[in-house]
Amino acid sequence: LEPFIFNNKISSLNPVLMKDLLEYFKDNEKLQSFEQCILHLDPLNLDIHNTLILCKEYDMFEAILFIYNACLRDYTTPLNGFLEILHSQLVCDDHSHKQVGYVILMYISNCLVGNIPDITRGLDQDEIIRIQNNVFNSVFCKHSENESILQEPDYPYVKLMLQLDTREFLNVMSVTFGHPLCLPIHQIVIDILLHVMIEEGHSYTPLQIGHLFTFFGSAESCYSLLS
């Protein structure tokens, strides 16, 4: 089935075939190929519920995004779920956190600059701006939806991304600053980063603070070009 799916000769599979295909790839230690098969199927013909169960069980993060984005037009539920997974892995010192962490970084970057996956229909400008705002608000929220006032710090997901990889997170934000779509969020990002890393940033190293000021310099250059 694999070559037919990759060549777009098969665009849908029933749940039984999906499970059989998964077992085949598991037995041959090729789960990444199973994920690529999902990305080549017609999202409108997927058994969404069962496919999501399989993808979540085996940490197929790109396929999860594909299903939520292309099938459900939902751009924040998978992001919030990934952020919670990343938080749990970092708390447990689980070294597999880099996989989901860098999927999050790429996803944030794509959504904020308007490079949004769109498989079945064109997204108009209003929808792109709505998605951008929703993704931004998810990452830069002051408290998460699962907040516990006594336990959760302000801007938990910003701090989470800085803990994952300060330089790469700031690089992602720097790239977004080069796009006109992101002009409305420039000052908000700068204010939050100053608050998190300088005003209350007791745990950040001199190297991390250096990355922050490099980001500020890049952001100022981008703002001058766009304004």
Side-chain angles (χ1 to χ4, degrees):
L1 289 176
E2 182 180 0
F4 294 99
I5 294 172
F6 286 164
N7 289 325
N8 299 317
K9 293 182 178 179
I10 294 178
S11 61
S12 62
L13 296 174
N14 64 47
V16 175
L17 279 176
M18 284 286 281
K19 287 185 178 180
D20 288 344
L21 191 63
L22 173 62
E23 290 302 320
Y24 167 77
F25 284 127
K26 278 175 57 181
D27 291 343
N28 290 275
E29 299 182 347
K30 294 174 60 181
L31 281 174
Q32 188 174 7
S33 294
F34 178 74
E35 183 173 29
Q36 290 303 310
C37 284
I38 293 174
L39 299 178
H40 279 79
L41 293 173
D42 183 346
L44 297 182
N45 291 324
L46 282 176
D47 179 338
I48 295 173
H49 177 72
N50 287 313
T51 306
L52 270 177
I53 289 174
L54 294 175
C55 292
K56 290 178 179 179
E57 183 178 356
Y58 295 101
D59 291 339
M60 298 179 186
F61 300 118
E62 290 187 24
I64 292 170
L65 287 174
F66 172 76
I67 293 167
Y68 273 101
N69 293 174
C71 303
L72 303 175
R73 297 295 170 189
D74 184 342
Y75 294 84
T76 53
T77 298
L79 174 60
N80 291 331
F82 291 174
L83 288 165
E84 291 300 324
I85 291 171
L86 177 60
H87 175 262
S88 298
Q89 291 177 340
L90 287 172
V91 167
C92 299
D93 199 24
D94 182 345
H95 294 292
S96 66
H97 69 267
K98 288 189 179 294
Q99 181 188 3
V100 67
Y102 288 107
V103 169
I104 293 170
L105 284 170
M106 182 60 70
Y107 185 68
I108 293 170
S109 177
N110 285 336
C111 287
L112 290 185
V113 302
N115 184 22
I116 298 167
D118 179 46
I119 310 300
T120 57
R121 63 180 176 84
L123 293 172
D124 61 33
Q125 189 73 359
D126 288 342
E127 288 177 292
I128 291 173
I129 292 173
R130 177 184 59 81
I131 292 165
Q132 178 203 38
N133 288 336
N134 288 343
V135 168
F136 175 79
N137 290 333
S138 290
V139 177
F140 283 83
C141 61
K142 190 167 186 178
H143 295 289
S144 71
E145 294 179 356
N146 300 319
E147 71 169 293
S148 170
I149 295 175
L150 296 177
Q151 297 179 0
E152 184 181 85
D154 290 350
Y155 306 108
Y157 295 143
V158 171
K159 292 176 179 177
L160 189 66
M161 299 312 296
L162 291 168
Q163 182 182 354
L164 168 72
D165 192 323
T166 302
R167 183 177 66 178
E168 286 307 312
F169 178 56
L170 294 175
N171 281 344
V172 164
M173 297 314 302
S174 180
V175 169
T176 66
F177 272 32
H179 289 259
L181 276 176
C182 296
L183 270 173
I185 67 174
H186 284 190
Q187 193 59 50
I188 300 172
V189 171
I190 290 171
D191 289 345
I192 291 174
L193 289 172
L194 278 171
H195 173 75
V196 168
M197 296 188 72
I198 303 298
E199 293 174 10
E200 62 170 38
H202 306 296
S203 61
Y204 295 100
T205 66
L207 180 61
Q208 288 174 305
I209 299 300
H211 291 324
L212 176 65
F213 283 101
T214 298
F215 163 75
F216 285 158
S218 175
E220 184 176 358
S221 298
C222 290
Y223 183 78
S224 298
L225 288 172
L226 291 172
S227 59

